[in-house]
């Protein structure tokens, strides 16, 4: 690691721990500051797509991730009312190095935490940040009165990032008109390798296996006119979820009948931050570019960020490296977020000729030219950020 010796990472989530691990493996002295009393993940499943797996592979964690995940081989788009398969993506047609995995967030967080500790990262808990001040060196001010100076501060603390507000001002997210439920249910069908998307007018359900097929992870989305609050820690009555998908097929009904605990949250859209970096400071992951869960790329974009930032701060001039990081990552995440935003309406088409025509076209594409259909995602899954840098 050139010149940058002490690095502080704010936030002990997927992006923060990946960045800390990568930087420590490249010789930096890294401290992670996490506001919680313990690093843990209260969510459920995530999809690690091939572009995210590239980073985990470069960190030496592919085997650990494979051990605790299920490998995806098929994405199936289905009608919620009948369970008829409209179309599918055959993930086995991807290159052997482009594997797709379903993993519990808690398992991935634990893998990254142990990797960070093994690399020598110092993890400090119960450290709530009051402010991050760019400069030489950058300063972190904590609620407990402590101040820390660092050669580089990386803010990976998510939606409510202090540094994002400092660099870009306060912004008000807007409600997308959609809410989402998240739940885990037992895997009574024996599913091991597929994502199923059950589509219905103004709503859909995504489901896939977790922890070796022990559970099914459910994310159900419904359009609504109003919502209060943001975040997904709010509990809801499972009967509300079942009512939202009343009239679904026996397959959908059976899945929802197994839900005994569910969380509900409103989906808000935040703009991509215009400014990601300042003197000796950088934003990473959701702090810079929150994304809606319609392309399963939130964690994968954070992993890509982590690797890019690790490599680009190793140049002789840190500020040049930070500027290159912003210039490299902004177009990529904007394209991913735009694609995620456009997916929702495709899943929620009302019954009628437009929906029928769209479904017929999808079905023909997946049956007649499956490789062509999958090739549409080359720009996303075929992107390997670990091959882009000459810096060692």
């Amino acid at each position: 690691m050139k010149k940058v010796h002490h690095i502080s990472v704010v936030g002990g989530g997927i992006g923060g721990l990946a960045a800390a691990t990568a930087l420590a493996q490249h010789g930096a002295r890294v401290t992670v500051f996490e506001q919680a009393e313990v690093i843990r993940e209260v969510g459920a499943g995530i999809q690690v797509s091939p572009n995210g797996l590239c980073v985990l592979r470069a960190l030496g964690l592919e085997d650990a991730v494979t051990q605790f995940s299920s490998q995806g081989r098929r994405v199936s788009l289905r009608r919620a009312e009948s369970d008829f398969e409209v179309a599918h993506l055959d993930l086995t047609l991807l290159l052997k190095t482009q594997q797709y995995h379903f993993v519990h967030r808690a398992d991935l967080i634990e893998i990254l935490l142990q990797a960070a500790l093994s690399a020598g990262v110092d993890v400090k808990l119960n450290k709530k940040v009051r402010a991050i001040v760019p400069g030489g060196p950058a300063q972190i001010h904590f609620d407990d009165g402590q101040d820390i100076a660092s050669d580089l501060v990386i803010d990976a603390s998510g939606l409510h990032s202090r540094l994002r507000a400092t660099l870009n001002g306060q912004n008000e997210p807007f409600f997308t008109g959609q809410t989402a439920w998240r739940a885990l249910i037992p895997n009574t069908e024996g599913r091991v390798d597929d994502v199923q998307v059950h589509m219905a007018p103004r709503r859909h359900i995504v489901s896939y296996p977790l922890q070796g097929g022990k559970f099914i992870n459910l994310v159900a989305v419904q359009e609504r006119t109003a919502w209060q609050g943001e975040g997904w820690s709010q509990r809801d009555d499972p009967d509300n979820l079942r009512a939202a998908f009343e009239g679904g097929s026996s397959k959908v009904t059976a899945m929802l009948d197994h839900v005994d605990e569910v969380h509900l949250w409103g989906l808000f859209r935040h703009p991509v931050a215009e400014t990601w970096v300042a003197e000796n400071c950088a934003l990473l992951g959701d702090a810079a570019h929150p994304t809606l869960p319609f392309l399963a790329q939130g964690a994968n974009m954070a992993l890509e960020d982590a690797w890019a930032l690790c490599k680009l701060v190793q140049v002789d001039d840190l500020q040049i490296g930070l500027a290159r990081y912003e210039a490299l990552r902004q177009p990529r995440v904007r394209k991913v977020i735009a694609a995620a935003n456009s997916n929702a309406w495709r899943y929620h088409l009302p019954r009628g000729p437009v929906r029928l025509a769209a479904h017929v076209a999808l079905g023909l594409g997946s049956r007649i030219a499956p490789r062509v259909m999958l090739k549409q995602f080359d720009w996303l899954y075929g992107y390997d950020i670990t091959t882009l840098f000459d810096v060692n």
Side-chain angles (χ1 to χ4, degrees), residues 227-283:
W227 178 258
Q228 297 295 319
E230 190 176 13
W232 49 275
S233 60
Q234 177 177 320
R235 291 181 181 273
D236 194 29
D237 187 333
D239 284 340
N240 293 333
L241 169 58
R242 287 186 270 270
F245 287 86
E246 188 176 1
S249 68
S250 58
K251 168 78 171 288
V252 169
T253 301
M255 285 196 298
L256 298 183
D257 280 346
H258 282 100
V259 175
D260 56 18
E261 182 177 315
V262 66
H263 289 82
L264 174 69
W265 78 105
L267 299 181
F268 285 73
R269 188 176 298 170
H270 297 251
V272 176
E274 291 295 333
T275 302
W276 292 25
V277 301
E279 189 177 5
N280 300 318
C281 289
L283 297 172

Side-chain angles (χ1 to χ4, degrees), residues 307-319:
W307 189 263
L309 191 55
C310 169
K311 287 295 185 178
L312 288 170
V313 300
Q314 296 180 55
V315 298
D316 290 330
D317 188 318
L318 174 60
Q319 306 317 313

Side-chain angles (χ1 to χ4, degrees), residues 205-234:
I205 302 174
V206 178
S207 62
Y208 53 86
L210 283 182
Q211 295 188 321
K214 182 178 179 182
F215 298 104
I216 295 291
N217 185 76
L218 294 181
V219 178
V221 175
Q222 180 189 37
E223 295 179 14
R224 291 189 185 183
T225 57
W227 178 258
Q228 297 295 319
E230 190 176 13
W232 49 275
S233 60
Q234 177 177 320

Side-chain angles (χ1 to χ4, degrees), residues 1-5 7 19 21-28 59 152 154 306-325 389-392:
M1 182 67 64
K2 298 178 181 179
K3 294 189 178 180
V4 181
H5 302 294
I7 299 173
T21 301
L23 289 160
Q25 288 179 352
H26 284 79
L59 294 174
L152 173 64
I154 299 169
W307 189 263
L309 191 55
C310 169
K311 287 295 185 178
L312 288 170
V313 300
Q314 296 180 55
V315 298
D316 290 330
D317 188 318
L318 174 60
Q319 306 317 313
I320 291 176
L322 292 176
R324 288 176 179 170
Y325 163 69
F389 306 98
D390 293 329
V391 180
N392 293 317

